[in-house]
Amino acid sequence: MEIIDGKVLAAKLQANLKIKVDALRAKGLTPGLVVVLVGEDPASQVYVRNKERRATELGLNSKIIRLAETVSEEELLRIIEQLNQDEQWHGILVQLPLPKHISEEKVLLAIDPDKDVDGFHPMNMGRLWSGNPVMVPSTPAGIMEMFKDYGVDLAGKRAVVIGRSNIVGKPMAQLLMMANATVTIAHSRTENLSALTKEADILVVAIGQAKFVTADMVKKGAVVIDVGMDRDEETRKLCGDVDFASVKDVARLITPVPGGVGPMTITMLMEQTVRAAERSALKKD
Ligand code: GUN
């Protein structure tokens, strides 16, 4: 068994990205990422702070716009429209989840697709599903980089994705399909799940339940990717959706939590921001 080290790979990609950012800045183009955070959700606060820190390390312009939980949908849409018009921001990210009185659909639709570094705008989701991706959601994009770096051959392989979210499960399935894997999307309502997962050469787990996947559910020699960010009920420590301690003895390759998918997600977000900045410069030429 080998552990996929997301921290090491993220650092390597980030070093290459820094060279690109330095070159762009020397030409007078500083890529900019603005993050909008509504409310006080503790997990979102941590994610947003990490995004800003990473952007700053890379030499990007970055800003967090913090809005009260009570902000109206109208006001949020107005702010997004201003950011769409502001040329210093090449990437706009509205941290999810949003308070219940605000329509996530309306908000995602309001972001200029060219600045939608999350890849959640229906235009970018449609581009991905039609096989011509422009902005790709960061978590699945980071997982594809892991497969590339660790030489995981996907063509013709059986992949099972547990989780059907727009953020991870659905785009992950499409990226695997584009790499010629045969893909099944499973979820919380799937019957006889372990019969499916036991057939998987590649297993991506994004179901949000601590240590949900156990060794008896995994095919020997499988590649197991854990997108979970959960708390162990007993120890209260951070853990994933996969029971790492038992599954590591069955899998050929496995990601840990923390230190697996998480660092890659942020790195891919930075990469998309830099690419958005490059494209904006081309549009002006
Ligand atoms: N909340 C959890 N993950 C994400 C993400 O990747 N992007 C945004 N905008 N919100 C999230």
Side-chain angles (χ1 to χ4, degrees):
M1 181 273 308
E2 191 184 353
I3 294 176
I4 299 182
D5 193 328
K7 269 200 223 162
V8 167
L9 177 54
K12 186 167 90 178
L13 295 177
Q14 213 178 300
N16 287 335
L17 194 57
K18 177 95 176 63
I19 295 168
K20 216 175 190 179
V21 173
D22 289 345
L24 289 173
R25 287 178 54 149
K27 285 196 280 183
L29 175 63
T30 304
L33 172 67
V34 60
V35 178
V36 181
L37 174 62
V38 182
E40 310 273 325
D41 178 68
S44 291
Q45 302 250 20
V46 174
Y47 294 150
V48 162
R49 221 177 304 129
N50 287 342
K51 284 166 187 169
E52 193 201 26
R53 192 176 306 149
R54 193 68 71 84
T56 308
E57 277 167 23
L58 275 170
L60 269 59
N61 262 339
S62 85
K63 183 165 96 166
I64 303 176
I65 298 180
R66 292 172 199 275
L67 301 172
E69 181 87 22
T70 52
V71 71
S72 68
E73 184 181 277
E74 197 185 2
E75 173 69 359
L76 178 58
L77 293 174
R78 197 185 57 76
I79 291 168
I80 291 171
E81 190 44 41
Q82 271 176 1
L83 297 171
N84 284 342
Q85 304 298 332
D86 190 339
E87 287 191 3
Q88 71 174 310
W89 304 121
H90 306 97
I92 302 171
L93 182 153
V94 178
Q95 188 67 24
L96 304 176
L98 289 167
K100 288 204 175 57
H101 67 277
I102 298 177
S103 156
E104 185 179 299
E105 192 190 0
K106 272 194 201 162
V107 167
L108 296 180
L109 204 55
I111 298 172
D112 179 347
D114 291 343
K115 297 190 176 193
D116 167 40
V117 278
D118 262 330
F120 297 163
H121 188 289
M123 168 87 90
N124 285 320
M125 301 225 310
R127 284 166 166 163
L128 174 61
W129 280 95
S130 56
N132 301 301
V134 178
M135 300 282 198
V136 180
S138 300
T139 299
I143 293 169
M144 294 306 285
E145 287 294 324
M146 287 175 152
F147 291 145
K148 196 159 87 181
D149 196 70
Y150 280 79
V152 176
D153 184 16
L154 298 168
K157 297 291 187 293
R158 276 188 183 231
V160 171
V161 178
I162 311 181
R164 53 181 156 178
S165 69
N166 288 335
I167 297 181
V168 183
K170 281 188 231 166
M172 183 80 257
Q174 167 63 354
L175 290 172
L176 285 164
M177 201 153 51
M178 285 171 70
N180 298 314
T182 300
V183 184
T184 304
I185 305 183
H187 46 78
S188 56
R189 301 287 289 273
T190 300
E191 289 181 2
N192 204 359
L193 178 64
S194 66
L196 272 181
T197 57
K198 268 198 192 131
E199 297 268 303
D201 303 302
I202 316 287
L203 182 59
V204 180
V205 193
I207 196 164
Q209 289 188 44
K211 301 185 181 177
F212 178 82
V213 169
T214 45
D216 58 302
M217 296 169 72
V218 178
K219 180 177 172 179
K220 183 138 191 64
V223 176
V224 179
I225 306 292
D226 188 350
V227 185
M229 283 276 250
D230 314 307
R231 291 260 161 220
D232 183 299
E233 286 203 1
E234 281 161 30
T235 65
R236 305 306 299 158
K237 276 194 188 154
L238 184 64
C239 72
D241 292 350
V242 174
D243 179 31
F244 185 84
S246 67
V247 174
K248 72 174 178 7
D249 297 326
V250 185
R252 175 170 71 82
L253 276 171
I254 184 167
T255 61
V257 177
V261 173
M264 291 299 296
T265 296
I266 298 194
T267 304
M268 299 316 288
L269 179 67
M270 300 303 139
E271 207 167 290
Q272 305 245 65
T273 304
V274 172
R275 265 190 261 140
E278 287 174 325
R279 274 196 298 269
S280 80
L282 284 179
K283 262 203 309 196
K284 273 193 221 150
D285 285 348

